[in-house]
Amino acid sequence: MGKIKKDFLRGELRRLVLCAAGLVLCLLILLRCYPKLASYQPLPLLGIPAIIGLSALRPAMQSRAAIGSLTDTARYFLEREYPASHPTYKVWQGEIHLLRSFIVCRNRGRLLFIPIHKIERAEHRFEHAGMWKIPSITFILDTGQSIAIGFSPSHPKDSEAVFTWLRNRLGCEKAIH
């Protein structure tokens, strides 16, 4: 479980650092365009590390809660299957790992564990964002829970590969296109 948690936290920290770099760039451009704000220059820049630190707490707490909700049997299978070679694809703000017994996904700051045997249906959909059609997969579990995972607009072919894997693993009656 340590490797899963470490990979999740590393990916989320990378995402936070990129957001912070964008924030710093915006602040520098703002200070350059409005020289009167130059007297306030140290205050916004000192707040950025505090924002990153507070933002980094959320993924740590979220990963602890997700891992804490697993049963001992699920942890055993995850610890055995995750380090082995498995297909990994890009999703929106993360990646999806296709294991034998589980689907492990880092998506939009969430760590998701989806047991294969609990999936009743997997629906391949397309969401419209402006002029783009962004693929997504919605998992409906036997508990009634619905989990939607959107794919990266820069990697739309990954959704087809994941859906083909799901169709082979679950069968055509459960993987609906």
Side-chain angles (χ1 to χ4, degrees):
M1 294 310 299
K3 182 164 174 43
I4 294 173
K5 188 175 181 178
K6 189 168 95 175
D7 288 349
F8 172 72
L9 292 175
R10 185 181 299 140
E12 286 301 298
L13 187 60
R14 186 179 317 122
R15 188 170 66 93
L16 287 172
V17 166
L18 288 174
C19 289
L23 180 63
V24 168
L25 185 64
C26 289
L27 283 173
L28 292 175
I29 291 171
L30 183 69
L31 291 173
R32 177 111 170 119
C33 292
Y34 297 102
K36 291 181 181 180
L37 295 175
S39 62
Y40 298 107
Q41 189 173 10
L43 293 177
L45 295 178
L46 290 176
I48 292 173
I51 292 170
I52 292 172
L54 290 173
S55 299
L57 288 176
R58 183 186 177 275
M61 298 305 291
Q62 204 280 336
S63 67
R64 179 178 290 168
I67 291 172
S69 68
L70 294 171
T71 64
D72 290 338
T73 307
R75 287 182 189 190
Y76 171 77
F77 282 117
L78 283 167
E79 286 176 356
R80 199 178 72 186
E81 294 174 10
Y82 190 80
S85 178
H86 60 271
T88 304
Y89 298 99
K90 295 283 186 190
V91 296
W92 180 249
Q93 297 179 354
E95 66 275 335
I96 189 168
H97 301 265
L98 305 174
L99 309 176
R100 272 190 35 205
S101 305
F102 281 87
I103 295 174
V104 179
C105 185
R106 179 176 69 88
N107 178 250
R108 297 180 183 163
R110 303 176 297 171
L111 179 59
L112 302 170
F113 298 107
I114 305 169
I116 298 290
H117 68 278
K118 290 194 177 263
I119 298 174
E120 280 190 0
R121 218 171 49 240
E123 299 175 354
H124 191 237
R125 300 178 179 183
F126 288 94
E127 299 172 3
H128 293 280
M131 296 177 58
W132 291 20
K133 275 179 45 175
I134 301 172
S136 68
I137 292 181
T138 302
F139 296 100
I140 291 92
L141 305 182
D142 60 1
T143 59
Q145 182 182 11
S146 175
I147 301 170
I149 297 173
F151 284 84
S152 173
S154 57
H155 298 93
K157 297 285 185 195
D158 285 359
S159 73
E160 289 297 326
V162 170
F163 198 74
T164 301
W165 184 89
L166 284 168
R167 189 176 298 133
N168 291 336
R169 189 80 168 94
L170 299 174
C172 292
E173 65 278 353
K174 286 188 173 184
I176 301 168
H177 205 306

